[in-house]
Short mmCIF file of all heavy atoms in Angstrom, two decimals:
data_model
loop_
_atom_site.label_atom_id
_atom_site.label_comp_id
_atom_site.label_asym_id
_atom_site.label_seq_id
_atom_site.Cartn_x
_atom_site.Cartn_y
_atom_site.Cartn_z
N GLY A 121 16.73 27.91 -24.27
CA GLY A 121 16.90 28.64 -22.97
C GLY A 121 16.69 30.17 -22.94
O GLY A 121 17.22 30.72 -21.96
N VAL A 122 16.14 30.54 -23.94
CA VAL A 122 15.99 32.21 -24.14
C VAL A 122 14.57 32.53 -24.03
O VAL A 122 13.68 31.95 -24.74
CB VAL A 122 16.65 32.59 -25.48
CG1 VAL A 122 16.40 34.09 -25.62
CG2 VAL A 122 18.07 32.27 -25.55
N GLY A 123 14.18 33.46 -23.31
CA GLY A 123 12.80 33.91 -23.19
C GLY A 123 12.55 34.81 -24.41
O GLY A 123 13.46 35.30 -25.02
N PHE A 124 11.25 35.03 -24.67
CA PHE A 124 11.00 35.83 -25.96
C PHE A 124 9.70 36.65 -25.60
O PHE A 124 8.69 36.16 -24.98
CB PHE A 124 10.60 34.79 -27.05
CG PHE A 124 10.30 35.44 -28.42
CD1 PHE A 124 11.36 35.97 -29.21
CD2 PHE A 124 9.08 35.69 -28.82
CE1 PHE A 124 11.14 36.65 -30.36
CE2 PHE A 124 8.91 36.44 -30.01
CZ PHE A 124 9.85 36.83 -30.80
N GLY A 125 9.72 37.86 -26.06
CA GLY A 125 8.53 38.79 -25.81
C GLY A 125 8.51 39.84 -26.85
O GLY A 125 9.18 39.87 -27.96
N TRP A 126 7.39 40.59 -26.68
CA TRP A 126 7.12 41.73 -27.74
C TRP A 126 7.38 43.12 -26.99
O TRP A 126 7.12 43.37 -25.87
CB TRP A 126 5.56 41.56 -28.01
CG TRP A 126 5.11 42.72 -28.95
CD1 TRP A 126 4.30 43.82 -28.76
CD2 TRP A 126 5.49 42.79 -30.48
NE1 TRP A 126 4.20 44.54 -29.82
CE2 TRP A 126 4.89 43.92 -30.84
CE3 TRP A 126 6.26 42.01 -31.15
CZ2 TRP A 126 5.06 44.29 -32.29
CZ3 TRP A 126 6.43 42.45 -32.51
CH2 TRP A 126 5.81 43.57 -32.98
N HIS A 127 7.88 44.08 -27.83
CA HIS A 127 8.08 45.41 -27.49
C HIS A 127 7.15 46.26 -28.22
O HIS A 127 7.15 46.27 -29.42
CB HIS A 127 9.54 45.83 -27.59
CG HIS A 127 9.70 47.26 -27.32
ND1 HIS A 127 9.94 47.78 -26.09
CD2 HIS A 127 9.69 48.30 -28.14
CE1 HIS A 127 10.08 49.15 -26.10
NE2 HIS A 127 9.96 49.52 -27.39
N ASN A 128 6.29 47.08 -27.49
CA ASN A 128 5.36 47.92 -28.25
C ASN A 128 5.75 49.24 -28.69
O ASN A 128 6.76 49.81 -28.17
CB ASN A 128 4.01 48.14 -27.33
CG ASN A 128 4.36 49.02 -26.16
OD1 ASN A 128 4.80 48.57 -25.12
ND2 ASN A 128 4.09 50.37 -26.40
N HIS A 129 5.03 49.77 -29.71
CA HIS A 129 5.06 51.21 -29.98
C HIS A 129 3.78 51.77 -29.79
O HIS A 129 3.03 51.43 -28.90
CB HIS A 129 5.65 51.37 -31.48
CG HIS A 129 7.12 51.04 -31.50
ND1 HIS A 129 7.57 49.76 -31.49
CD2 HIS A 129 8.30 51.83 -31.66
CE1 HIS A 129 9.05 49.76 -31.54
NE2 HIS A 129 9.37 51.03 -31.61
N ASP A 130 3.28 52.68 -30.73
CA ASP A 130 2.04 53.32 -30.61
C ASP A 130 0.90 52.58 -31.39
O ASP A 130 -0.22 52.48 -31.09
CB ASP A 130 2.09 54.66 -30.90
CG ASP A 130 2.49 55.12 -32.30
OD1 ASP A 130 3.17 54.11 -32.91
OD2 ASP A 130 2.13 56.06 -32.87
N PHE A 131 1.35 51.84 -32.50
CA PHE A 131 0.28 51.21 -33.43
C PHE A 131 -0.50 50.07 -32.90
O PHE A 131 -1.54 49.79 -33.26
CB PHE A 131 1.01 50.88 -34.67
CG PHE A 131 2.09 49.89 -34.58
CD1 PHE A 131 1.92 48.56 -34.40
CD2 PHE A 131 3.39 50.40 -34.59
CE1 PHE A 131 3.04 47.62 -34.34
CE2 PHE A 131 4.51 49.54 -34.42
CZ PHE A 131 4.30 48.22 -34.27
N GLU A 132 0.00 49.50 -31.76
CA GLU A 132 -0.70 48.49 -31.14
C GLU A 132 -1.97 48.98 -30.29
O GLU A 132 -2.70 48.19 -29.80
CB GLU A 132 0.26 47.65 -30.06
CG GLU A 132 1.33 46.96 -30.71
CD GLU A 132 2.68 47.79 -30.78
OE1 GLU A 132 2.59 49.06 -30.74
OE2 GLU A 132 3.74 47.31 -30.79
N PHE A 133 -1.97 50.30 -30.15
CA PHE A 133 -3.05 50.94 -29.48
C PHE A 133 -4.08 51.69 -30.35
O PHE A 133 -4.65 52.57 -29.79
CB PHE A 133 -2.58 51.69 -28.27
CG PHE A 133 -1.64 50.98 -27.43
CD1 PHE A 133 -0.20 50.95 -27.63
CD2 PHE A 133 -2.07 50.15 -26.35
CE1 PHE A 133 0.60 50.19 -26.75
CE2 PHE A 133 -1.21 49.42 -25.53
CZ PHE A 133 0.09 49.41 -25.71
N LYS A 134 -4.03 51.32 -31.64
CA LYS A 134 -4.89 51.92 -32.49
C LYS A 134 -5.98 50.81 -32.85
O LYS A 134 -5.65 49.77 -33.58
CB LYS A 134 -4.24 52.37 -33.89
CG LYS A 134 -3.22 53.49 -33.46
CD LYS A 134 -2.46 54.02 -34.63
CE LYS A 134 -1.51 55.20 -34.12
NZ LYS A 134 -0.63 55.56 -35.41
N ALA A 135 -7.18 51.07 -32.49
CA ALA A 135 -8.22 49.88 -32.62
C ALA A 135 -8.40 49.53 -33.95
O ALA A 135 -8.33 50.38 -34.91
CB ALA A 135 -9.48 50.44 -31.99
N THR A 136 -8.71 48.18 -34.27
CA THR A 136 -9.13 47.76 -35.55
C THR A 136 -10.54 48.10 -35.82
O THR A 136 -11.15 48.68 -35.03
CB THR A 136 -8.96 46.21 -35.62
OG1 THR A 136 -9.78 45.61 -34.69
CG2 THR A 136 -7.53 45.80 -35.24
N ALA A 137 -10.97 47.76 -37.10
CA ALA A 137 -12.41 48.01 -37.41
C ALA A 137 -13.47 47.43 -36.39
O ALA A 137 -14.51 47.98 -36.17
CB ALA A 137 -12.58 47.65 -38.71
N SER A 138 -13.08 46.33 -35.74
CA SER A 138 -13.88 45.81 -34.83
C SER A 138 -13.86 46.39 -33.42
O SER A 138 -14.76 46.01 -32.57
CB SER A 138 -13.60 44.21 -34.65
OG SER A 138 -12.43 44.04 -33.89
N GLY A 139 -12.85 47.25 -33.27
CA GLY A 139 -12.71 47.87 -31.91
C GLY A 139 -11.68 47.07 -31.05
O GLY A 139 -11.38 47.61 -29.98
N ALA A 140 -11.12 46.03 -31.50
CA ALA A 140 -10.01 45.32 -30.87
C ALA A 140 -8.73 46.07 -30.87
O ALA A 140 -8.33 46.79 -31.85
CB ALA A 140 -9.91 43.91 -31.45
N MET A 141 -7.97 45.88 -29.82
CA MET A 141 -6.66 46.60 -29.68
C MET A 141 -5.65 45.43 -30.34
O MET A 141 -5.63 44.35 -29.68
CB MET A 141 -6.30 46.97 -28.33
CG MET A 141 -7.03 48.24 -28.01
SD MET A 141 -6.50 49.63 -28.90
CE MET A 141 -7.33 50.88 -28.00
N PRO A 142 -4.79 45.88 -31.13
CA PRO A 142 -3.65 44.83 -31.62
C PRO A 142 -2.92 44.30 -30.54
O PRO A 142 -2.60 43.15 -30.61
CB PRO A 142 -2.87 45.78 -32.59
CG PRO A 142 -3.82 46.79 -33.09
CD PRO A 142 -4.71 47.07 -32.05
N LEU A 143 -2.50 44.93 -29.48
CA LEU A 143 -1.73 44.45 -28.35
C LEU A 143 -2.46 43.24 -27.76
O LEU A 143 -1.80 42.18 -27.44
CB LEU A 143 -1.54 45.47 -27.37
CG LEU A 143 -0.54 44.89 -26.14
CD1 LEU A 143 0.92 44.66 -26.73
CD2 LEU A 143 -0.41 45.82 -25.03
N ASP A 144 -3.79 43.38 -27.68
CA ASP A 144 -4.62 42.11 -27.20
C ASP A 144 -4.49 40.88 -27.94
O ASP A 144 -4.23 39.91 -27.58
CB ASP A 144 -6.06 42.58 -26.91
CG ASP A 144 -6.23 43.62 -25.78
OD1 ASP A 144 -5.76 43.28 -24.78
OD2 ASP A 144 -7.08 44.51 -25.91
N LEU A 145 -4.52 41.35 -29.31
CA LEU A 145 -4.39 40.14 -30.26
C LEU A 145 -3.08 39.60 -30.38
O LEU A 145 -2.82 38.34 -30.51
CB LEU A 145 -4.90 40.71 -31.66
CG LEU A 145 -6.35 41.40 -31.60
CD1 LEU A 145 -6.67 41.92 -33.06
CD2 LEU A 145 -7.36 40.28 -31.26
N ILE A 146 -2.07 40.40 -30.31
CA ILE A 146 -0.75 39.82 -30.29
C ILE A 146 -0.39 39.03 -29.15
O ILE A 146 0.08 37.85 -29.25
CB ILE A 146 0.24 41.03 -30.50
CG1 ILE A 146 0.17 41.78 -31.77
CG2 ILE A 146 1.84 40.57 -30.22
CD1 ILE A 146 0.94 43.02 -31.75
N LEU A 147 -0.56 39.53 -27.95
CA LEU A 147 -0.28 38.84 -26.74
C LEU A 147 -1.28 37.60 -26.67
O LEU A 147 -0.85 36.67 -25.78
CB LEU A 147 -0.41 39.68 -25.52
CG LEU A 147 0.64 40.79 -25.45
CD1 LEU A 147 0.43 41.59 -24.23
CD2 LEU A 147 2.03 40.28 -25.51
N GLY A 148 -2.33 37.56 -27.30
CA GLY A 148 -3.29 36.42 -27.20
C GLY A 148 -2.74 35.28 -27.97
O GLY A 148 -3.22 34.08 -27.93
N GLY A 149 -1.59 35.40 -28.64
CA GLY A 149 -1.09 34.26 -29.39
C GLY A 149 -0.47 33.26 -28.49
O GLY A 149 -0.51 32.06 -28.93
N SER A 150 0.04 33.48 -27.39
CA SER A 150 0.67 32.65 -26.55
C SER A 150 0.59 33.14 -25.05
O SER A 150 1.17 34.34 -24.88
CB SER A 150 1.98 32.17 -27.01
OG SER A 150 2.58 31.53 -25.95
N PRO A 151 0.22 32.46 -24.08
CA PRO A 151 0.40 32.79 -22.68
C PRO A 151 1.75 33.01 -22.20
O PRO A 151 2.13 33.54 -21.21
CB PRO A 151 -0.32 31.80 -21.80
CG PRO A 151 -0.24 30.51 -22.77
CD PRO A 151 -0.28 31.03 -24.16
N SER A 152 2.76 32.43 -22.98
CA SER A 152 4.25 32.52 -22.68
C SER A 152 4.86 33.61 -23.31
O SER A 152 6.05 33.78 -23.02
CB SER A 152 4.92 31.13 -23.02
OG SER A 152 4.30 30.10 -22.29
N LEU A 153 4.22 34.42 -24.19
CA LEU A 153 4.83 35.56 -24.92
C LEU A 153 4.91 36.59 -23.83
O LEU A 153 3.86 37.14 -23.27
CB LEU A 153 3.86 35.99 -26.00
CG LEU A 153 4.42 37.19 -26.80
CD1 LEU A 153 5.81 36.84 -27.50
CD2 LEU A 153 3.49 37.49 -27.91
N GLN A 154 6.18 37.13 -23.54
CA GLN A 154 6.31 38.16 -22.57
C GLN A 154 6.13 39.61 -23.24
O GLN A 154 5.93 39.65 -24.41
CB GLN A 154 7.79 38.06 -22.00
CG GLN A 154 8.10 36.79 -21.34
CD GLN A 154 9.42 36.68 -20.85
OE1 GLN A 154 10.02 37.63 -20.35
NE2 GLN A 154 10.16 35.53 -20.99
N TRP A 155 6.10 40.57 -22.39
CA TRP A 155 5.82 41.91 -22.96
C TRP A 155 6.83 43.00 -22.17
O TRP A 155 7.11 42.94 -21.11
CB TRP A 155 4.41 42.42 -22.54
CG TRP A 155 4.18 43.87 -23.08
CD1 TRP A 155 4.58 44.43 -24.10
CD2 TRP A 155 3.34 44.74 -22.36
NE1 TRP A 155 4.08 45.68 -24.22
CE2 TRP A 155 3.28 46.00 -23.15
CE3 TRP A 155 2.50 44.70 -21.25
CZ2 TRP A 155 2.48 47.03 -22.77
CZ3 TRP A 155 1.86 45.80 -20.81
CH2 TRP A 155 1.78 47.02 -21.67
N GLU A 156 7.53 43.70 -23.04
CA GLU A 156 8.37 44.86 -22.62
C GLU A 156 7.54 46.13 -23.04
O GLU A 156 7.39 46.47 -24.15
CB GLU A 156 9.72 44.83 -23.34
CG GLU A 156 10.58 45.92 -22.88
CD GLU A 156 11.92 46.03 -23.61
OE1 GLU A 156 11.83 46.14 -24.84
OE2 GLU A 156 13.04 45.96 -23.08
N ALA A 157 7.06 46.69 -21.98
CA ALA A 157 6.30 47.89 -22.11
C ALA A 157 7.03 49.14 -22.43
O ALA A 157 7.88 49.54 -21.60
CB ALA A 157 5.36 48.16 -20.96
N ASP A 158 6.76 49.85 -23.50
CA ASP A 158 7.37 51.26 -23.76
C ASP A 158 6.21 52.09 -23.36
O ASP A 158 5.35 52.36 -24.17
CB ASP A 158 7.72 51.27 -25.21
CG ASP A 158 8.48 52.52 -25.48
OD1 ASP A 158 8.04 53.71 -24.89
OD2 ASP A 158 9.52 52.64 -26.11
N VAL A 159 6.17 52.51 -22.25
CA VAL A 159 4.91 53.39 -21.65
C VAL A 159 4.87 54.82 -22.29
O VAL A 159 3.76 55.31 -22.44
CB VAL A 159 5.07 53.55 -20.08
CG1 VAL A 159 4.97 52.16 -19.45
CG2 VAL A 159 6.30 54.24 -19.71
#
Side-chain angles (χ1 to χ4, degrees):
V122 178
F124 186 82
W126 179 252
H127 173 87
N128 70 274
H129 288 75
D130 59 339
F131 54 84
E132 295 94 334
F133 302 94
K134 296 176 181 177
T136 67
S138 75
M141 284 292 184
L143 186 67
D144 289 316
L145 301 176
I146 291 169
L147 294 181
S150 168
S152 298
L153 180 63
Q154 299 179 40
W155 180 34
E156 180 181 59
D158 190 315
V159 296

